[in-house]
Amino acid sequence: MKKYLVVGTGFSGAVLARQLVEHLPDCEIDIIDSRDHIGGNCHTERDAKTGIMLHKYGAHIFHTNRKDVWDYVNKFASFGNYKHRVIANTNRGIFSLPINLLTINQLFQKKMSPEEAKIFVRNLGDHTIHEPQNFEEQALKFVGKEIYETFFYGYTKKQWGCEPKELPASVLKRLPVRFDYNDNYFNDPYQGIPVNGYTDLIANIINHSRIHIHLNRPFIKESDSSKYNHIFYAGPIDGYYNFSEGRLSYRTIYFERIDAIGDFQGNSVINYTSMNENFTRLCEHKHFAPWESFETSVVYKEFSKETGESDIPFYPKHLVIDKEIFSKYNAIAMAEENISFIGRLGTYRYLDMHHVVEESLDFARTVIECIRSKSCIPSFSVK
Ligand code: UDP
């Protein structure tokens, strides 16, 4: 029997472990997590007081345009129909997100048609910017100063703790801008939330006689490295190398709980986009499960800060300095033979759950082929 170690019980480790045991009859997998629960930052649990399903590390909405990815997660859980709609509380009033025709007409107090709005917004854009080099330029080029300042500047500064011009343009490219009244936050055709939560979904993925789960079990490099044929590591890559090339920057999120009666805010997520408040958003968790009903309510006020040594990293920042540091870790990792880095933290990328599932399914195919042909397993899950 070959023995593999998977470090981390989030989506990347869970999907990979499952695919490996299903396709390789002669292997056993230990999957470990330093926390006392599986699921990583997707972890959900029912609140002991109210029974509401809480997304303990913030809102997670599963969405994908890949049918195979959607079919895969649906094999392990039943998904409730949930369409994500976000409201913006700004210093100009309350608006609908992502930026859509209602947002544009209300902000500028107009009654434009889609075509008129397209021309209007195009004229707001800064045409002196040709190739946007950062978040701010991306916003100014495509939506102009007024929309940028109302919806993006303050939120982004609070969320990332730096000026938006220090961030890559790709962060803003996550958000659609629409010229119709569609206010679905995502473009993907498949969208939902598992009715029994993400922890249950991930527990089902790793429920297999040859996958052994160990919680409260940190990775110990000295002893673990020699015990396994290969290690798949979903923790932060800089931590794995004991920060030898420097610390990569991540933002972490922390929450303040508000208990309420009835409907607190009328929507699952309200973003606070100005600098007048020091938090980024309020999430009212019962609205993530519209198929359930509760008289009470639990709201998480979400704050963002730099990740300290004992904090859980959430968002890779990807500043210029991070790119330099990461390239050093990348070079060291590429020379390794018995470890592969996977997932958001292992590969230091701002990935969503569906990206991670997609990538783990693809990577598992590569790993299986390598094992069968006795060739070297790649150091990263990313192609
Ligand atoms: N963003 C913003 N204002 C908003 C929502 C998002 O400026 O009201 C920016 C912000 O920089 C954020 C990024 O767009 O980090 C991506 O937003 P998304 O909602 O995808 O963030 P996530 O849900 O992953 O935290």
Side-chain angles (χ1 to χ4, degrees):
M1 277 281 175
K2 295 245 169 62
K3 283 206 83 174
Y4 302 115
L5 177 66
V6 173
V7 181
T9 59
F11 269 112
S12 60
V15 171
L16 183 64
R18 180 70 185 219
Q19 293 305 97
L20 296 189
V21 289
E22 288 211 340
H23 293 90
L24 301 168
D26 60 343
C27 80
E28 296 268 344
I29 294 189
D30 284 335
I31 184 164
I32 63 173
D33 207 299
S34 56
R35 297 188 229 181
D36 63 0
H37 60 75
I38 61 163
N41 284 359
C42 305
H43 173 55
T44 47
E45 70 186 30
R46 284 213 182 267
D47 182 39
K49 194 164 138 200
T50 62
I52 295 168
M53 186 65 82
L54 299 179
H55 298 210
K56 296 298 285 189
Y57 301 90
H60 281 78
I61 297 100
F62 202 96
H63 56 97
T64 177
N65 62 8
R66 260 180 64 167
K67 184 158 186 313
D68 62 330
V69 170
W70 185 239
D71 289 344
Y72 185 84
V73 290
N74 275 273
K75 277 200 308 194
F76 298 100
S78 128
F79 275 72
N81 188 9
Y82 173 84
K83 292 272 173 291
H84 196 40
R85 294 190 171 85
V86 177
I87 297 297
N89 181 318
T90 79
N91 56 10
R92 304 271 301 266
I94 301 287
F95 295 96
S96 157
L97 286 178
I99 307 290
N100 63 68
L101 193 49
L102 185 63
T103 325
I104 298 161
N105 272 328
Q106 289 187 332
L107 182 68
F108 297 99
Q109 300 195 2
K110 298 208 178 271
K111 297 178 178 175
M112 292 178 284
S113 68
E115 268 319 301
E116 287 166 343
K118 246 182 232 171
I119 295 164
F120 180 81
V121 171
R122 198 182 301 141
N123 287 335
L124 296 176
D126 181 341
H127 303 295
T128 62
I129 302 167
H130 298 294
E131 294 282 326
Q133 296 301 311
N134 57 56
F135 184 106
E136 181 166 289
E137 287 183 5
Q138 176 77 13
L140 293 176
K141 177 175 168 67
F142 290 104
V143 293
K145 194 163 183 280
E146 204 162 337
I147 293 179
Y148 171 59
E149 286 177 352
T150 308
F151 297 101
F152 301 128
Y153 179 78
Y155 187 96
T156 299
K157 202 167 167 166
K158 291 188 286 185
Q159 169 71 3
W160 296 93
C162 61
E163 287 299 321
K165 56 164 94 73
E166 295 175 63
L167 292 166
S170 58
V171 173
L172 186 63
K173 287 185 196 155
R174 292 167 58 84
L175 307 181
V177 175
R178 300 208 188 97
F179 297 98
D180 58 20
Y181 289 101
N182 176 8
D183 62 353
N184 190 337
Y185 201 66
F186 305 114
N187 284 329
D188 291 330
Y190 307 107
Q191 197 175 143
I193 292 184
V195 290
N196 293 324
Y198 289 98
T199 298
D200 172 78
L201 161 57
I202 290 178
N204 292 337
I205 296 176
I206 53 181
N207 179 15
H208 189 284
S209 58
R210 282 183 287 114
I211 299 180
H212 312 289
I213 306 161
H214 308 273
L215 297 180
N216 298 306
R217 161 67 163 89
F219 174 69
I220 306 160
K221 199 169 182 178
E222 298 70 43
S223 50
D224 285 333
S225 298
S226 56
K227 275 200 276 189
Y228 295 93
N229 294 84
H230 199 87
I231 295 168
F232 299 95
Y233 192 85
I237 188 168
D238 54 346
Y240 177 83
Y241 288 112
N242 217 2
F243 309 103
S244 63
E245 309 306 309
R247 276 180 189 273
L248 292 165
S249 50
Y250 305 88
R251 293 297 276 181
T252 192
I253 301 292
Y254 62 100
F255 307 95
E256 205 175 281
R257 175 177 167 139
I258 302 166
D259 280 279
I261 301 292
D263 193 357
F264 182 81
Q265 62 179 14
N267 197 47
S268 56
V269 178
I270 299 192
N271 288 357
Y272 285 72
T273 62
S274 85
M275 295 299 285
N276 296 341
E277 302 84 14
N278 60 351
F279 56 94
T280 51
R281 55 189 169 192
L282 292 184
C283 295
E284 186 167 8
H285 289 246
K286 68 179 176 184
H287 293 309
F288 292 122
W291 49 88
E292 299 184 349
S293 68
F294 298 92
E295 283 176 4
T296 50
S297 199
V298 179
V299 177
Y300 279 4
K301 188 184 271 191
E302 200 167 309
F303 299 85
S304 170
K305 69 177 181 85
E306 217 54 28
T307 303
E309 280 182 29
S310 58
D311 295 320
I312 295 167
F314 281 62
Y315 294 91
K317 278 179 82 170
H318 264 292
L319 304 181
V320 174
I321 174 79
D322 295 314
K323 287 185 189 142
E324 286 164 21
I325 296 175
F326 182 76
S327 70
K328 293 184 188 159
Y329 288 122
N330 187 69
I332 302 173
M334 291 301 275
E336 302 256 21
E337 290 198 345
N338 63 355
I339 182 157
S340 305
F341 293 91
I342 62 173
R344 188 188 265 223
L345 302 176
T347 64
Y348 194 63
R349 286 174 304 149
Y350 187 178
L351 301 176
D352 292 338
M353 293 180 287
H354 64 291
H355 294 129
V356 165
V357 172
E358 194 176 308
E359 194 164 289
S360 274
L361 289 173
D362 294 344
F363 186 54
R365 281 189 274 274
T366 307
V367 172
I368 292 160
E369 249 175 63
C370 292
I371 291 172
R372 285 186 181 145
S373 63
K374 297 193 170 42
S375 50
C376 203
I377 301 173
S379 302
F380 287 95
S381 54
V382 53
K383 275 196 185 122

